[in-house]
């Protein structure tokens, strides 16, 4: 069954043929293959954890985190049974704490509604917290070795570099049908590993082709950002097992900001951030104390 409803796409003019492109990717994939601990696993949960961790994070940073996380929370049920504060504590240093919170919520849903197992289709997976189309497709392709439309930055890089050289503003609407058309029915896992490894290599030797995507956005500066303040507040509360008062928390955040050469945090900004973090479930407020 095709991955998209449209008829087979027209191959870009002046690009290599589909057969030549597939042969090139497979050749590069064999030469550049990375033996990563979450590869070639028939474990959807383990693959999901890796896919979530790899969002906006370098592979080298993820390796140790993934291994420690899987050792502590080896199954969805184990993650569902864990305290949110323990899950967040294991995520510290990896960034984007929302990912950990969403993963924990997904585990809770699966434990309550799916017998502790992840659903097996893209449609069911994207209904879970924090799982988008690419992550869902990654679970299907890598854990189940079934065809899926897996379009992420390294995959996009290969298609842009080989099939759209020199073109700016290439839309995913043009790329997605080609990704679907080249995904094999019998070994999606190996095909996407080849694309990922070749894409990572391309980004290391040429100006990042993914910048020519119509969907490319430059990541905002972390230093001094609201995101950094959020991360530091979560870290402080997690490191305070007895809880911490609002005044002390604000004081420690100000000290962190001043150590970075930045002014103290405005009281309204502090209240806005802590209110958001409590509402999102990163920690709770009990009277004047913030408690993980």
């Amino acid at each position: 069954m095709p991955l998209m409803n449209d008829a087979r796409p027209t191959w870009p003019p002046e690009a290599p043929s589909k057969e030549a492109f597939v042969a090139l990717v497979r050749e590069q994939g064999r030469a550049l293959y990375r033996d990563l601990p979450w590869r070639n696993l028939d474990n959807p949960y383990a693959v999901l954890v890796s896919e979530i961790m790899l969002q906006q994070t370098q592979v080298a940073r993820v390796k140790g985190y993934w291994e420690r996380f899987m050792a502590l929370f080896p199954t969805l049920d184990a993650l569902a049974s864990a305290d949110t504060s323990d899950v967040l504590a294991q995520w510290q240093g990896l960034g984007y704490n929302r990912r950990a919170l969403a993963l924990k919520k997904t585990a809770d849903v699966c434990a309550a509604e799916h017998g502790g197992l992840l659903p097996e289709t893209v449609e069911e997976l994207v209904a879970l917290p924090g799982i988008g189309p690419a992550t869902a497709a990654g679970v299907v392709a890598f854990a189940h070795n079934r065809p899926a439309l897996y379009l992420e930055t390294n995959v996009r890089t290969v298609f842009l570099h080989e099939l759209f050289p020199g073109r700016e503003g290439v839309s995913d609407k043009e790329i997605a049908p080609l990704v679907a058309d080249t995904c094999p029915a019998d070994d999606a896992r190996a095909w996407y590993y080849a694309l990922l490894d070749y894409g990572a290599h391309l980004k290391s030797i040429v100006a990042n082709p993914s910048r020519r995507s119509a969907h490319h956005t430059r990541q905002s500066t972390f230093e001094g950002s609201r995101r950094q303040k959020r991360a530091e507040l979560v870290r402080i509360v997690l490191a305070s097992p007895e809880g911490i008062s609002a005044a002390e928390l604000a004081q420690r955040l100000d000290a962190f900001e001043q150590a970075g050469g930045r002014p103290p945090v405005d009281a309204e900004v502090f209240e806005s951030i802590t209110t958001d973090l409590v509402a999102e479930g990163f920690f709770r407020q009990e009277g004047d104390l913030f408690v993980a």
Side-chain angles (χ1 to χ4, degrees):
M1 179 181 295
L3 297 181
M4 300 187 72
N5 293 327
D6 298 333
R8 176 164 292 186
T10 302
W11 210 247
E14 301 182 6
S17 68
K18 174 183 172 180
E19 293 73 20
F21 172 77
V22 169
L24 171 68
V25 171
R26 290 196 181 280
E27 178 184 1
Q28 293 294 331
R30 286 190 292 269
L32 300 167
Y33 179 76
R34 295 174 293 177
D35 188 15
L36 302 172
W38 48 81
R39 287 192 167 180
N40 298 298
L41 299 178
D42 300 325
N43 181 340
Y45 167 64
V47 171
L48 175 65
V49 173
S50 72
E51 287 294 304
I52 297 291
M53 287 187 170
L54 287 164
Q55 293 170 3
Q56 298 177 287
T57 307
Q58 296 293 325
V59 168
R61 290 188 62 206
V62 168
K63 283 183 180 179
Y65 279 92
W66 182 86
E67 290 170 336
R68 288 191 296 272
F69 196 92
M70 291 302 299
L72 286 169
F73 314 113
T75 65
L76 275 167
D77 279 339
L79 185 59
S81 298
D83 290 337
T84 299
S85 59
D86 292 335
V87 176
L88 289 169
Q90 293 305 315
W91 207 271
Q92 292 305 290
L94 196 55
Y96 298 95
N97 288 316
R98 280 193 182 97
R99 296 179 298 174
L101 205 59
L103 188 57
K104 173 69 167 74
K105 290 176 180 177
T106 282
D108 294 343
V109 172
C110 288
E113 301 177 12
H114 299 287
L117 300 174
L118 277 174
E120 295 189 6
T121 68
V122 168
E123 293 75 17
E124 291 172 301
L125 286 165
V126 296
L128 295 169
I131 299 182
T135 299
V139 172
V140 170
F142 298 132
H144 300 291
N145 203 15
R146 296 202 312 264
L149 179 53
Y150 183 63
L151 180 52
E152 60 80 74
T153 180
N154 284 342
V155 172
R156 185 181 291 112
T157 290
V158 175
F159 281 82
L160 286 167
H161 180 74
E162 296 294 342
L163 304 183
F164 300 93
R167 266 193 57 187
E168 299 290 335
V170 182
S171 169
D172 280 356
K173 289 183 179 179
E174 292 183 79
I175 298 175
L178 303 174
V179 176
D181 190 38
T182 53
C183 180
D186 57 345
D187 197 359
R189 175 189 285 168
W191 171 244
Y192 282 124
Y193 287 162
L195 282 167
L196 288 171
D197 294 344
Y198 184 33
H201 175 69
L202 285 173
K203 286 161 67 174
S204 73
I205 62 172
V206 298
N208 189 352
S210 66
R211 294 173 185 168
R212 295 191 284 106
S213 165
H215 309 280
H216 176 75
T217 56
R218 187 179 296 275
Q219 188 171 337
S220 59
T221 302
F222 183 65
E223 285 295 318
S225 66
R226 183 182 179 94
R227 185 161 60 89
Q228 186 185 41
K229 293 176 179 62
R230 283 171 55 97
E232 181 61 15
L233 286 169
V234 171
R235 188 197 66 78
I236 294 169
V237 175
L238 288 174
S240 308
E242 303 301 320
I244 184 170
S245 69
E248 177 66 16
L249 184 59
Q251 184 179 22
R252 292 198 191 179
L253 181 62
D254 283 346
F256 172 78
E257 292 293 296
Q258 290 172 332
R262 297 180 293 273
V265 178
D266 181 83
E268 289 186 4
V269 172
F270 172 81
E271 183 177 359
S272 170
I273 296 175
T274 52
T275 298
D276 285 349
L277 291 171
V278 169
E280 292 167 28
F282 285 98
F283 46 75
R284 62 189 187 277
Q285 188 168 10
E286 297 179 355
D288 187 49
L289 292 179
F290 291 103
V291 181

